[in-house]
Amino acid sequence: MQEKITKLMQEKAAQLLENAQVDYVLGFKQGEFFYDNSPFMFSTAAQLNELVFNNFCAPTLSKYLIDSGKKAKKVAIFLRACDSYNFNQLLKENRIKRELVHVISIPCVGMLDILKLKAEGVKNIKAVQNNEDGSIVLSTSKGDVQLNKVDFLMEKCLACRLDSAQVEFDEVLCEAAKPSRTYDRFAKVKELEAMSPQARFEFWQQELSKCIRCNACKDICPACSCEQCVFDNANAGISSKANSTEFEEQMYHIVRAFHVAGRCTDCGECSRICPQGIPLYLLNRKFIADINEFYGTYQAGADCDSRAPLLKFELDDVESTVLNKKEEN
């Protein structure tokens, strides 16, 4: 399946570039290793032999459109269901221009977590075969290894909502069956909520103490798209600064989580990119769980029209108790 999708993507990209319908094609470029593919802006048909799509194309692509939009360049982008939420959210926030993007829908083959595979002792992967029975066969330098695919999926794929956001695609490259999977993405949040305040504090203190302030989570996050971030302000005294106190360890990530509350699509890029393995997605997912409880189920980026619960006021909001007290007085 993934070989078929890759070939179709290469053919479509070549057609768009050769006909001058777009200036660039945003996809994935083959890395040094089979599992090390990266986002890449292809500008010529000759480059497209390096365009790949397999189980190791994890990054979401939408944020890369911000820079091309500033240059008024038209870009073709291949979007999976999970990418669609970030694409819509950026459109909603006027960070990208729809007329400068040619959107092509592609199915997802399910992204594998290389760290889980390495922990299983799987190394030197050269190819992956996805079987209809839910298993995968990985070709390695030491022979083939067959595993249960769901046990090695990335968190973002386990928590996938399995449907596409309301995106007006310009083209649908090919259809694919949606996987049948049951996964409670809030299970770990519930575990943390069940802890005592002290135990919960100690959990996060231990995790956040690993932070080296590389800013990778901020740089990769589609919701972190401000022209100038407070953490990049040299006059603020906190820009690109290694944590020297417990307060700084907590402040950076908590402030960032507050900033994206109601706008986070739960794509999990912050955790995926973290070199220290901090489960940052749990901070954002806690906010999502609370928003769902207080304001009703809401998915950031599901459409381009609705306003996030924290950006509008309704009389039946949870804060209505404040109004009721005023009326009593």
Side-chain angles (χ1 to χ4, degrees):
M1 181 63 177
Q2 57 187 341
E3 291 83 5
K4 175 186 175 182
I5 298 173
T6 297
K7 183 173 178 57
L8 288 173
M9 290 171 66
Q10 289 174 338
E11 292 174 351
K12 175 53 63 178
Q15 176 189 338
L16 292 170
L17 287 171
E18 289 171 352
N19 294 340
Q21 292 176 260
V22 299
D23 298 295
Y24 299 100
V25 173
L26 179 54
F28 293 96
K29 182 179 180 180
Q30 181 176 318
E32 181 178 355
F33 304 105
F34 180 80
Y35 57 83
D36 186 30
N37 305 313
S38 303
F40 189 79
M41 285 281 194
F42 298 90
S43 58
T44 66
Q47 298 174 321
L48 294 174
N49 65 314
E50 293 188 271
L51 187 153
V52 297
F53 187 69
N54 56 39
N55 300 91
F56 295 102
C57 295
T60 186
L61 298 175
S62 299
K63 187 173 183 179
Y64 295 90
L65 295 171
I66 296 176
D67 187 57
S68 62
K70 292 177 182 177
K71 299 174 183 176
K73 299 294 184 180
K74 186 159 186 177
V75 178
I77 183 173
F78 295 102
L79 290 186
R80 300 161 289 190
C82 58
D83 301 320
S84 301
Y85 294 108
N86 288 324
F87 181 77
N88 269 352
Q89 191 63 30
L90 289 169
L91 278 177
K92 187 183 298 188
E93 296 174 3
N94 298 313
R95 304 299 289 123
I96 56 180
K97 298 177 180 179
R98 182 63 179 86
E99 65 271 18
L100 291 178
V101 187
H102 186 86
V103 184
I104 307 166
S105 172
I106 59 171
C108 185
V109 293
M111 299 299 116
L112 298 175
D113 190 327
I114 188 60
L115 296 180
K116 289 181 181 179
L117 290 169
K118 286 183 176 180
E120 187 70 13
V122 180
K123 299 179 181 178
N124 302 316
I125 301 170
K126 297 181 178 180
V128 178
Q129 176 183 317
N130 294 266
N131 299 325
E132 293 184 2
D133 63 359
S135 66
I136 51 173
V137 177
L138 299 105
S139 299
T140 74
S141 58
K142 295 185 178 180
D144 292 349
V145 179
Q146 184 167 345
L147 300 168
N148 184 23
K149 183 176 182 178
V150 73
D151 295 333
F152 297 91
L153 287 174
M154 298 194 67
E155 171 66 29
K156 64 187 289 182
C157 291
L158 288 171
C160 181
R161 267 99 328 143
L162 308 179
D163 56 357
S164 177
Q166 298 174 21
V167 174
E168 187 179 336
F169 295 109
D170 295 298
E171 296 184 61
V172 176
L173 197 63
C174 59
E175 300 285 354
K178 295 177 182 178
S180 176
R181 201 161 54 237
T182 301
Y183 181 79
D184 181 4
R185 64 182 175 127
F186 297 110
K188 184 64 177 179
V189 172
K190 294 171 185 174
E191 289 181 22
L192 291 172
E193 290 175 334
M195 293 179 179
S196 67
Q198 183 60 34
R200 192 161 54 246
F201 177 83
E202 291 174 357
F203 169 83
W204 281 113
Q205 187 60 52
Q206 179 181 358
E207 291 295 337
L208 298 182
S209 67
K210 304 173 187 176
C211 178
I212 58 174
R213 279 299 299 278
C214 65
N215 290 321
C217 56
K218 174 177 70 68
D219 293 340
I220 199 70
C221 176
C224 281
S225 60
C226 293
E227 292 291 339
Q228 182 175 18
C229 175
V230 63
F231 291 109
D232 291 332
N233 185 352
N235 296 322
I238 56 175
S239 64
S240 303
K241 179 182 178 183
N243 300 318
S244 58
T245 67
E246 292 182 357
F247 172 75
E248 287 178 344
E249 289 174 354
Q250 299 157 15
M251 179 187 68
Y252 176 72
H253 292 290
I254 292 175
V255 167
R256 220 183 65 76
F258 269 112
H259 183 206
V260 302
R263 299 164 52 243
C264 170
T265 65
D266 198 14
C267 67
E269 286 290 270
C270 52
S271 296
R272 182 190 67 80
I273 204 70
C274 178
Q276 297 296 88
I278 304 172
L280 296 170
Y281 74 93
L282 286 175
L283 275 175
N284 301 319
R285 204 168 278 179
K286 166 60 176 170
F287 281 107
I288 293 171
D290 286 347
I291 287 172
N292 289 346
E293 178 183 354
F294 296 143
Y295 302 100
T297 302
Y298 178 77
Q299 171 61 52
D303 56 62
C304 296
D305 304 313
S306 64
R307 299 189 67 187
L310 300 182
L311 297 179
K312 62 181 181 179
F313 174 77
E314 303 289 346
L315 288 176
D316 59 353
D317 281 348
V318 288
E319 293 88 352
S320 61
T321 52
V322 177
L323 289 178
N324 293 337
K325 288 181 179 179
K326 287 185 177 180
E327 290 174 358
E328 290 173 2
N329 295 333

